[in-house]
Structure formats: C-alpha cells, structure tokens
Amino acid sequence: MTPISRRQITAMIASLALVLFGATNASANDKTAVATLGSGCFWCTEADFDKVPGVLETVSGYMGGHVKNPTYEQVSRGTTGHTEVVRIAYDPAKVTYAQLLDHYWRNVDPFDRTGQFCDRGSQYRPAIFTHSEEQARIAKESLEAIEASGRFDQKIVVEITPASEFTAAETYHQNFYKKNPAHYWRYRIGCRRDLRLKQLWGKDAKS
C-alpha cells in the first residue's frame, strides 16, 4: 500500500471540511446555491467574489481533471487536466447566478484559454463549471450576450462545462489574500491582472 503524504492528508481534510460545510449550511438554509468558477489564480478569484453581497463562502480548489485528490504540486505541473477554481456558496435571494456571472466576466480575460494574466498553462484556463441545466443555460446566454454586444471583436474562449469532482486546495491557499496580504498584493500587481481587466472593461471593471 502506497503511504499517504502529509500534503495529501491536508487536501483530504480540506475536502471533508467542504462537504461538512455544505451539509451544515444546507440544513440551516435550504436556499443556498453553489457556483464554481475559474479565472486564473484562485487567490484572486476568492478576493474578487468575497466582496459580492450574497456570497456566503468561497473555497479554492481544483476541477476538470482526471487525477483523484490532486495536490497543488500536481496541478501546477499542468498534467492532471485540472484548473484552479473557486467554489462559491451564495444566497440566491440576495444575488442571482446571472449576477455572479456578470461579476465573473469583469474579472477574467475571456479571450485567453492558455492561462490568465501572468499565469500560463491549462491549469489556469478560465472556466465556468455548471451545476444544473439552468446554470448551463444562463452561462451560455451570458456569454452570447457579451459577444452580441459588439464590445469585442474577439471570440470568447471561456470553457462552459458540467461540474465534475471538486478537490479543495491545501489549507494555506484558503483566504490567502487575508492571511498574507502583502504577498498577495505583490503577486496581483506584478501579474498586471487589474491593468488587463481595466484594458478590457474600462470603467466597468469590477476588480
């Protein structure tokens, strides 16, 4: 039997915590919904969505791959098929899925399928992982609306696909922007994320 590493144990505990959170929250509020979105570095995606009224919880993790319970080291090599995502628990009475997507589009480079901002590789590809047929419909309509607006002359390449198994990232990644704000802002500024978003969306950028 292959020994389980400490990092794998940490990832398993984080995943279990997510499951327990979902079960507990569902019993407390059966109207809680979930969205899973990828827009590059999950540190930044967490920070972008924690500020949205109606968002109850954000958890960084990995989705879309073929390796079970991947670690950050595995995903970062770009060989597992996963991309970094954030799983968002929200109150649909306070914020709709369509409104979350409106916020999402203004915090992603929708024309770059090979990474996001300074982070390169399929593990940073932008993606909307849908949890129902309704979410899939809304996501497709929101993409088509942007393309039909005439604002851009490029084709949007963001992946819209059914959600698959979610693996929570290691504990040190969760709420990184709060626990290590200096490191986080050095990274975000150095990555020129907000500069690119303003280039794309101008005054409508929501970073």
Side-chain angles (χ1 to χ4, degrees):
M1 182 176 178
T2 304
I4 299 176
S5 69
R6 179 177 297 178
R7 195 168 298 282
Q8 287 174 314
I9 292 174
T10 300
M12 291 169 64
I13 291 173
S15 296
L16 178 60
L18 178 67
V19 172
L20 292 175
F21 164 79
T24 301
N25 206 44
S27 63
N29 179 8
D30 59 6
K31 294 184 178 179
T32 299
V34 173
T36 303
L37 305 170
S39 57
C41 171
F42 45 32
W43 297 347
C44 296
T45 308
E46 268 199 24
D48 292 336
F49 279 89
D50 275 347
K51 68 181 69 170
V52 177
V55 168
L56 306 173
E57 179 84 356
T58 56
V59 180
S60 289
Y62 318 108
M63 187 173 280
H66 53 78
V67 175
K68 194 171 183 63
N69 296 321
T71 64
Y72 176 74
E73 285 75 12
Q74 290 175 308
V75 174
S76 64
R77 296 188 195 109
T79 58
T80 69
H82 292 84
T83 189
E84 291 193 7
V85 298
V86 169
R87 188 165 185 171
I88 303 163
Y90 66 98
D91 182 351
K94 296 181 179 179
V95 61
T96 66
Y97 186 66
Q99 288 171 326
L100 287 178
L101 290 181
D102 181 65
H103 192 77
Y104 171 79
W105 290 119
R106 285 157 179 76
N107 282 283
V108 69
D109 183 342
F111 309 113
D112 190 354
R113 63 158 49 95
T114 61
Q116 286 288 287
F117 314 104
C118 68
D119 293 314
R120 312 314 306 159
S122 62
Q123 65 271 33
Y124 297 106
R125 69 186 183 276
I128 298 171
F129 291 97
T130 59
H131 293 268
S132 67
E133 290 184 2
E134 181 182 16
Q135 283 193 356
R137 176 185 60 78
I138 294 171
K140 182 179 179 181
E141 289 176 353
S142 69
L143 184 156
E144 291 173 344
I146 294 173
E147 289 188 327
S149 71
R151 180 166 190 155
F152 304 108
D153 58 5
Q154 295 173 267
K155 182 177 178 58
I156 293 175
V157 296
V158 173
E159 173 185 339
I160 298 176
T161 190
S164 53
E165 184 175 358
F166 174 80
T167 301
E170 293 79 352
T171 302
Y172 67 91
H173 284 301
Q174 308 299 336
N175 295 308
F176 188 89
Y177 76 101
K178 294 179 180 178
K179 294 185 291 189
N180 297 279
H183 185 164
Y184 168 73
W185 280 109
R186 282 197 302 271
Y187 161 77
R188 184 162 185 137
I189 293 170
C191 209
R192 302 174 67 84
R193 185 181 183 102
D194 295 324
L195 288 176
R196 174 58 175 160
L197 292 175
K198 288 179 180 178
Q199 180 186 32
L200 288 167
W201 298 102
K203 65 180 181 180
D204 294 328
K206 293 187 177 182
S207 60

